[in-house]
Amino acid sequence: MTPSKIVLAYSGGLDTSVAIPWLQEHRNADVVAVTVDVGQPVDLEAVRRKAISSGAVNAFVLDARQEFAEEFIGPALRANALYEGVYPLSTALARPLIARHLVEVAQREHAQYVAHGCTGKGNDQVRFDLSTTSLAPELEVVAPAREWGMSREEEIAFAEAHGIPVPATRQSPYSTDENLWGRSVECGILEDPAVEPPEEAFGWTTAPAQAPNDPGYANIRFDHGVPVALNGRPSPFHSLIVDLNQLAGAHGVGRIDHLESRVVGIKSREVYECPAATVLIAAHQALEALVLPRDLLDFKRAVEQRYAQLVYDGLWFTPLKGALDAFVSATQDRVSGEVAVKLFKGSARVTGRRSPHALYQSGLATYSSGDRYRQQMAEGFIYVWGLPARTWAAVGATSRPPLAPTAKSHP
Ligand code: ARG
């Protein structure tokens, strides 16, 4: 039987390396490895070589950093997307992008399957599977780690038996995932949600207590909801994120300790480092508060919550997500201006904002001379606005005590 062809999302880690010979043996397949550069600080050429030495018939590294920033992070930022109010969705946002590249390669290479290294317990399997099926319903997804039932020790033995290099250094107890929008850490001692994350779990941020005693500032310029300059220096969005991760991370900004509700029903404890995301979302919210009216802000908040949940749940390529994107886009016409964020020992606080579209009008807001607000008009407004409350209260006052039970009309 001629071997089938499988396009595997390859990170270079133990799981996806073991997946190569496993797929050859259990699926009689040629494996094409695809590694997508979403800004993870890893030597990707070494990863590509490792895929080949692990048995892949071909291996590609695709630079998707700009695409990730513009088409995935950007829309999420405009939606101020924070899952359960705290997690900027760094890992979640990269999955549909990676799936889209897997599908493209699979179609080009005439492969029948795509594969990933996710286990059956997490969210990422949901995101890969749903994104793939939405883009290419004819492709089948294989998830070896969901099937093979090997312990870590068995995996290492399998790797050694198949000539896959296993790093001699003692493995870190943590499982991490990194891209432009953040770093996630789980496992090890973090599995006890009562224990404070030890300093060694962090990789991108300075401990707040060790951060500089002088505050730093991130001045962000937005153009229609897109960050276009940091501290006066214009730069493409993806490089601005890299610079801001560095700047805010050095001030200890962006550590998140999340007791998280997974799609599959499991509660898990996850630690994140998302310095740029933390600063940019705070700045973007502050600019929106300046230029958007109250009812729109209010309605948008509900959309944002739903949006974050859709992204978390792996529903990126769905009609509802597309429709919410259209709504969010329509709100960003006037979201241009500058926001200053003060970075100090772990905190990021907005200290100033300006925009040519500001709804803040000093002639209306001021208590000093130059007041254009007609205070006398407030009385009539309050009379009408308060009418339902006044009527309610008045009726309540006259209807006490409660009505006596209706007398029965028996003779
Ligand atoms: N729990 C996060 C999410 O679902 C991140 C999981 C990333 N994986 C990891 N090994 N830390 O988006």
Side-chain angles (χ1 to χ4, degrees):
M1 206 173 83
T2 54
S4 53
K5 200 183 252 187
I6 298 184
V7 176
L8 168 70
Y10 184 70
S11 71
L14 182 64
D15 290 341
T16 52
S17 296
V18 165
I20 296 174
W22 190 91
L23 287 167
Q24 288 166 342
E25 287 174 15
H26 290 77
R27 297 289 169 125
N28 181 34
D30 284 341
V31 178
V32 175
V34 171
T35 305
V36 181
D37 183 356
V38 284
Q40 64 275 47
V42 169
D43 177 355
L44 295 177
E45 181 43 35
V47 170
R48 204 189 67 78
R49 284 194 305 268
K50 187 171 177 188
I52 297 291
S53 67
S54 301
V57 295
N58 210 343
F60 304 105
V61 173
L62 310 171
D63 180 357
R65 288 172 296 177
Q66 184 177 349
E67 183 189 359
F68 183 38
E70 290 176 3
E71 294 179 42
F72 292 81
I73 297 174
L77 170 60
R78 290 187 279 285
N80 300 314
L82 290 169
Y83 179 63
E84 295 187 321
V86 295
Y87 166 41
L89 295 159
S90 40
T91 293
L93 284 165
R95 300 322 191 189
L97 165 72
I98 296 170
R100 191 162 80 184
H101 282 287
L102 292 177
V103 166
E104 269 169 32
V105 174
Q107 288 170 343
R108 198 177 68 218
E109 299 271 326
H110 305 290
Q112 300 78 28
Y113 303 93
V114 301
H116 57 71
C118 306
T119 70
K121 295 185 73 175
N123 301 310
D124 286 330
Q125 51 165 349
V126 180
R127 298 166 185 152
F128 277 121
D129 291 17
L130 292 185
S131 297
T132 304
T133 206
S134 300
L135 293 171
E138 71 283 2
L139 283 174
E140 213 175 296
V141 183
V142 192
R146 229 165 20 196
E147 294 181 29
W148 63 36
M150 283 190 275
S151 69
R152 191 153 189 94
E153 294 67 34
E154 288 165 339
E155 267 187 71
I156 290 172
F158 185 93
E160 278 164 353
H162 290 78
I164 293 169
V166 178
T169 52
R170 224 173 62 77
Q171 285 279 317
S172 148
Y174 304 112
S175 161
T176 61
D177 179 62
E178 296 172 280
N179 64 46
L180 290 174
W181 208 225
R183 174 174 187 265
S184 89
V185 201
E186 57 187 8
C187 303
I189 186 70
L190 301 177
E191 286 185 354
D192 183 345
V195 171
E196 180 175 352
E199 208 37 52
E200 56 165 33
F202 298 98
W204 285 18
T205 53
T206 305
Q210 254 75 65
N213 291 322
D214 292 324
Y217 283 89
N219 212 292
I220 318 286
R221 190 162 80 234
F222 288 90
D223 189 10
H224 302 284
V226 181
V228 292
L230 170 62
N231 290 333
R233 220 163 56 89
S235 66
F237 187 28
H238 63 282
S239 10
L240 186 149
I241 295 171
V242 172
D243 294 344
L244 187 53
N245 273 328
Q246 188 71 37
L247 171 65
H251 286 278
V253 166
R255 294 185 171 190
I256 297 154
D257 183 344
H258 189 190
L259 200 297
E260 185 169 315
S261 312
R262 288 191 188 165
V263 190
V264 293
I266 299 172
K267 292 278 190 185
S268 72
R269 197 287 188 90
E270 198 99 14
V271 169
Y272 299 99
E273 297 178 279
C274 304
T278 300
V279 172
L280 288 174
I281 292 172
H284 182 258
Q285 285 171 330
L287 188 54
E288 287 189 327
L290 182 65
V291 302
L292 299 182
R294 183 174 78 160
D295 57 352
L296 181 50
L297 287 172
D298 220 47
F299 191 85
K300 184 167 182 280
R301 252 190 299 277
V303 171
E304 290 171 356
Q305 220 180 347
R306 188 64 189 265
Y307 192 100
Q309 197 169 330
L310 285 176
V311 174
Y312 189 84
D313 290 355
L315 299 169
W316 185 270
F317 297 113
T318 61
L320 176 56
K321 160 69 175 43
L324 296 187
D325 268 327
F327 170 81
V328 172
S329 285
T331 63
Q332 299 297 297
D333 268 6
R334 299 192 195 184
V335 186
S336 300
E338 279 189 19
V339 181
V341 184
K342 186 175 188 169
L343 312 169
F344 184 62
K345 292 195 179 289
S347 79
R349 279 188 304 109
V350 171
T351 54
R353 65 292 268 162
R354 72 171 103 241
S355 167
H357 310 293
L359 299 177
Y360 179 92
Q361 302 278 305
S362 49
L364 292 176
T366 188
Y367 286 98
S368 312
S369 59
D371 189 357
R372 290 195 280 108
Y373 181 79
R374 290 152 71 188
Q375 296 207 31
Q376 324 72 266
M377 306 301 275
E379 193 184 336
F381 164 73
I382 295 165
Y383 172 80
V384 175
W385 185 238
L387 199 50
R390 201 159 43 249
T391 308
W392 172 267
V395 169
T398 55
S399 65
R400 266 177 304 221
L403 293 178
T406 329
K408 299 249 166 65
S409 55
H410 287 304

